[in-house]
Amino acid sequence: MARKKISLVGAGQIGGTMALVLAQKQLGDVMMLDIAEGMPQGKALDIQEGRSVIPTATNLSGSNDYADLAGSDVVIVTAGLPRKPGMSRDDLLDVNFGIIEKVGLAIKEHAPEALVIVVTNPLDAMVYAMQKVTGFPANRVVGMAGVLDSSRLACFIADELGVSAEDVRALVLGGHGDTMVSVYGAASVAGIPLSQLMSKEKFDELAARTAKAGGEIVALLKTGSAFYSPGLSAIHMAEAYLLDKKSVLTAAAQLNGEYGVEGGLYCGVPVVMGAGGIEKVIEVELNEEERKAFDVSVDAVKDLVSWVENKMA
């Protein structure tokens, strides 16, 4: 049986992190692609030389040629300008759209059967653009955001309660930005509803921090944005697809009537992810406050998508 091929478009901090973790997990061979000459080759070789230590049988390679996407089962796209202090995700829209357009056309030509996971910000608009550029079925073009946002909220809940983060389940919906919606009633610790362990007021404080979590890291790093947790989150999604795990996770998926959202807009919602890509969108019951917040988040995504549509017209 041939090994799976996982291509990483963008060999920066996220790309390098993903390459290492993919080698550790042995989900398939890894090809790193970047426009910077020598960087993907160097990072791939660096990990390749440590394979006997991991240990792993994964083969890694680097390239500057889009033609090397051929044969990819999964393409994870992180290419784009990272945020700098004071920048919002939306500030990246213009420059990163141009990158997504070029990458999308290359994927369409060289890897027409791949699942595409977009990590580039502003996420919801970029994954929408990727689906339009490739023309792929919506179940094979998905955005990584909800896994990350939910993980961040779970981290903050665990720290506040003094419990293990692996026992916390959290759910964050909506756009990947300041309007994201953390759902109090969906959070739990080892099956115990969070409402029995934490007040709504404290939860709201953690939810506000979650919405600003990316910016908090940008401010601390000063020269880049988060890369470990986004990289791990994207691999979590790829693993669900490659191993047909039927995982329930939150992803930026295309909506056509679900949650009252029409027109093929991409937004963060719980989905079932397996060998068919996004196999099902799960509709969670929201209270009135959460519903209003979700609608506000959707409107923010619509504004970004309108810009993309005008650009592509």
Side-chain angles (χ1 to χ4, degrees):
M1 180 183 295
R3 294 184 186 180
K4 299 296 185 180
K5 179 178 178 179
I6 306 158
S7 293
L8 310 176
V9 182
Q13 296 280 42
I14 300 179
T17 296
M18 290 193 296
L20 176 58
V21 176
L22 285 167
Q24 293 169 326
K25 284 180 169 287
Q26 302 194 73
L27 292 176
D29 290 337
V30 178
M31 194 279 292
M32 304 176 71
L33 178 68
D34 202 286
I35 60 171
E37 292 186 9
M39 184 168 70
Q41 294 89 341
K43 288 190 176 183
L45 181 59
D46 192 10
I47 299 171
Q48 186 97 333
E49 291 170 352
R51 289 180 300 167
S52 67
V53 179
I54 291 176
T56 181
T58 295
N59 290 312
L60 300 100
S61 61
S63 176
N64 306 116
D65 188 349
Y66 284 114
D68 287 329
L69 290 169
S72 298
D73 295 283
V74 176
V75 180
I76 304 177
V77 181
T78 67
L81 187 72
R83 275 203 288 172
K84 298 177 181 178
M87 291 180 69
S88 71
R89 294 180 179 93
D90 299 352
D91 291 335
L92 305 175
L93 187 57
D94 192 17
V95 62
N96 283 354
F97 170 77
I99 294 170
I100 288 294
E101 187 173 38
K102 183 175 182 179
V103 171
L105 290 172
I107 294 172
K108 180 179 181 179
E109 178 180 358
H110 299 293
E113 301 301 321
L115 172 80
V116 183
I117 300 173
V118 179
V119 183
T120 305
N121 278 318
L123 188 281
D124 307 281
M126 293 300 96
V127 66
Y128 178 90
M130 178 64 75
Q131 195 275 326
K132 293 300 182 183
V133 170
T134 60
F136 287 2
N139 64 297
R140 286 202 288 117
V141 182
V142 58
M144 190 296 295
V147 172
L148 172 61
D149 297 328
S150 299
S151 177
R152 284 170 166 166
L153 178 58
C155 166
F156 301 148
I157 290 171
D159 289 349
E160 179 66 28
L161 294 177
V163 301
S164 172
E166 67 181 355
D167 292 330
V168 180
R169 294 292 178 267
L171 178 63
V172 180
L173 307 179
H176 183 52
D178 295 346
T179 60
M180 65 180 69
V181 183
S182 297
V183 183
Y184 183 48
S188 64
V189 180
I192 304 167
L194 187 65
S195 59
Q196 297 183 22
L197 304 170
M198 178 182 291
S199 70
K200 177 63 161 56
E201 290 72 25
K202 174 55 67 174
F203 177 82
D204 287 345
E205 290 178 19
L206 302 183
R209 185 182 178 190
T210 299
K212 302 285 188 180
E216 183 178 354
I217 292 174
V218 169
L220 289 167
L221 292 176
K222 297 180 177 61
T223 57
S225 55
F227 52 93
Y228 293 124
S229 51
L232 292 169
S233 299
I235 290 173
H236 182 62
M237 296 173 70
E239 185 174 21
Y241 172 74
L242 290 167
L243 301 184
D244 192 21
K245 294 180 74 170
K246 312 298 183 188
S247 296
V248 177
L249 49 82
T250 310
Q254 188 182 85
L255 302 181
N256 292 286
E258 300 92 345
Y259 292 90
V261 180
E262 302 286 352
L265 203 71
Y266 273 81
C267 203
V269 293
V271 303
V272 176
M273 194 158 187
I278 300 300
E279 298 185 352
K280 181 182 180 180
V281 171
I282 299 173
E283 294 196 63
V284 177
E285 186 175 336
L286 303 175
N287 62 33
E288 184 177 356
E289 178 187 355
E290 292 161 348
R291 181 79 234 187
K292 288 180 179 178
F294 183 81
D295 290 343
V296 168
S297 192
V298 169
D299 286 341
V301 173
K302 285 180 180 178
D303 288 342
L304 296 176
V305 168
S306 294
W307 184 95
V308 170
E309 289 177 335
N310 290 333
K311 194 78 171 180
M312 297 180 70

